[in-house]
Amino acid sequence: MSRTISQEAQKYRPYWLADIDAKIAGGTSPVGPGGGAMSAHALSGIYHTGQLAESQATWAGTKAELAAHAANVDAHHAQVHGLISANHTASGLTAGYVVRASGATTFAFAQLQHGDLGSVTANQHHNQVHSVSGSDHTLTGSKWALVGATADNTLGLLTPSANPGAAEAILKTDAAGMLALTKLRTPTIDTASGDLTLQPANDLLLSPASNLVKLSAGKNFQSHNYASQITGMRITNDGQGDFRYIFVDEMHAKSFIADLEQALAGGQIISKSVAMLGATFTAPAAGATATLTVRDLPSAPDMSVFQSGDIVGLRSFSRAGGSLTIANCWGVVTAYADQSDGTQTWTFTRSSAPNAGAMSAGATVAVDALVLDYGTSGNGFHEVNAIDGMYGANSPYSQIVTWTT
């Protein structure tokens, strides 16, 4: 179906009716809002010019409707909605990127930079209190290196040393546990328990600025194997001395006591056997031999006073040259021979150093001096002493001694 519209009417056709004409020309019946009223109105050949009243355009939105829409921004599209993947689509994203301001009026999809953070305290961005462990940090450096100030206001690695020489250093022991220092100054050297051993490669030198080496009150200086009047030596804080051998150019004694083995000056030694020299004895050198002549026992004539292989000891007292020398001579007796004059001879083999005693080779021991028989290694003797130490400070005592080697 077609219909001709007058030229006059064509001049006032609204532009939107061109679509209706096209539909009519194609044989269709356009239907507009309002149940076909718009198309019917157009086909009637009645056209309007100017502004339509609201009552003439029931298909259009009214002013009241537009005002209501403007007052409710959510009427056309809700502003508040869920930001979830199901409601939106995206492509070309990079994990970790965000929409961030790239300028005063621009933004971009990029990584968030550390400088973008503002008004953030140290503990808000990164907790300052945390565990110091290898899993929390990394370090490039040699073993035992320390992180510290290598110079003023400078942080770096410090390398400890076991032998820094004359230089500043943080100290550590080497693989052998050694620490070498040029000088050590300390008010006290102490140990938590046990002994303190000083073992230099050479001598131990004591050189205090005062020129004095002092023993504290009640302290003694002695050798490790000291036993009163037997082995080693001791010097006490109050001036006592106990030595096995003393050599002096001069000696001034206010009181002098010579202890001669048997029941003299308050001391007595009871050993395996005892005899008296029957002839002057000349001490041989260490390891050498000499003839030892002793008297028979008064109650056992023509019987050996010693047993072959026993260790015997002789002691000499000499005041030659105005001095007093007390020395021992130790050795083994063998080859017993009885004599017709009430004496007997033995071959005396002097012990090797350092067990030979301090008596000089060639020194003599006078007739009637005592010779004590101490038996063999593992034997012993009984000693009673009332004069040990200054004014007998270490006595009286009775001791049983077992000796070896």
Side-chain angles (χ1 to χ4, degrees):
M1 174 181 75
S2 65
R3 185 171 182 175
T4 303
I5 300 175
S6 66
Q7 183 177 4
E8 182 65 20
Q10 286 284 356
K11 182 171 65 173
Y12 297 103
R13 285 172 63 84
Y15 69 90
W16 50 268
L17 290 180
D19 182 60
I20 298 177
D21 291 339
K23 295 182 183 300
I24 294 174
T28 61
S29 297
V31 179
M38 183 176 65
S39 60
H41 181 75
L43 295 175
S44 67
I46 302 173
Y47 301 94
H48 300 274
T49 62
Q51 182 177 351
L52 294 176
E54 291 184 4
S55 60
Q56 295 174 309
T58 58
W59 44 268
T62 65
K63 290 182 179 180
E65 291 173 335
L66 292 175
H69 187 280
N72 183 9
V73 295
D74 287 332
H76 176 62
H77 182 275
Q79 288 182 318
V80 179
H81 57 278
L83 182 60
I84 58 176
S85 299
N87 296 338
H88 304 81
T89 60
S91 62
L93 300 181
T94 301
Y97 278 48
V98 297
V99 176
R100 58 184 289 270
S102 57
T105 59
T106 58
F107 59 88
F109 183 62
Q111 285 182 313
L112 185 66
Q113 301 300 308
H114 190 276
D116 295 333
L117 301 176
S119 301
V120 178
T121 65
N123 278 333
Q124 288 176 323
H125 175 58
H126 181 274
N127 188 6
Q128 288 179 320
V129 179
H130 58 278
S131 174
V132 179
S133 64
S135 59
D136 295 334
H137 305 82
T138 60
L139 175 68
T140 301
S142 59
K143 183 179 179 181
W144 299 113
L146 303 176
V147 177
T150 57
D152 292 346
N153 306 318
T154 303
L155 186 65
L157 291 180
L158 302 171
T159 302
S161 173
N163 188 1
E168 291 182 324
I170 294 177
L171 303 176
K172 76 170 186 64
T173 57
D174 63 11
M178 186 199 77
L179 182 63
L181 298 175
T182 301
K183 181 183 291 186
L184 176 65
R185 177 173 295 174
T186 173
T188 303
I189 297 178
D190 194 6
T191 58
S193 62
D195 298 331
L196 174 64
T197 300
L198 301 178
Q199 192 173 3
N202 294 310
D203 299 333
L204 176 62
L205 303 178
L206 302 177
S207 183
S210 65
N211 298 321
L212 295 174
V213 177
K214 300 179 179 180
L215 282 176
S216 299
K219 308 303 179 184
N220 301 323
F221 181 76
Q222 68 181 48
S223 53
H224 73 284
N225 63 336
Y226 171 76
S228 177
Q229 297 191 23
I230 297 175
T231 58
M233 68 87 190
R234 170 187 279 187
I235 300 174
T236 68
N237 173 260
D238 58 2
Q240 299 180 44
D242 185 353
F243 303 95
R244 307 285 66 79
Y245 175 81
I246 297 177
F247 177 83
V248 294
D249 291 333
E250 295 184 12
M251 183 171 67
H252 182 178
K254 293 182 179 179
S255 176
F256 182 81
I257 299 174
D259 188 354
L260 298 177
E261 267 70 61
Q262 288 279 82
L264 296 177
Q268 183 179 33
I269 293 177
I270 302 174
S271 60
K272 180 179 179 181
S273 179
V274 61
M276 298 181 66
L277 270 179
T280 300
F281 174 78
T282 301
T289 62
T291 298
L292 174 65
T293 302
V294 296
R295 300 185 191 278
D296 292 341
L297 294 176
S299 59
D302 303 325
M303 185 180 75
S304 62
V305 296
F306 306 132
Q307 186 175 0
S308 182
D310 284 353
I311 291 282
V312 301
L314 298 93
R315 177 170 293 181
S316 67
F317 292 80
S318 173
R319 296 180 181 273
S323 63
L324 173 65
T325 300
I326 304 174
N328 291 318
C329 181
W330 301 92
V332 177
V333 290
T334 56
Y336 158 74
D338 184 52
Q339 305 300 316
S340 61
D341 59 356
T343 63
Q344 53 190 268
T345 60
W346 295 82
T347 298
F348 177 89
T349 303
R350 190 167 184 180
S351 302
S352 300
N355 300 317
M359 189 180 297
S360 301
T364 59
V365 180
V367 175
D368 292 337
L370 297 178
V371 182
L372 292 181
D373 180 5
Y374 288 88
T376 58
S377 180
N379 290 166
F381 58 91
H382 180 207
E383 179 183 7
V384 179
N385 200 307
I387 57 162
D388 189 352
M390 182 178 292
Y391 302 112
N394 299 326
S395 57
Y397 59 79
S398 174
Q399 65 178 356
I400 298 174
V401 180
T402 301
W403 65 274
T404 58
T405 62

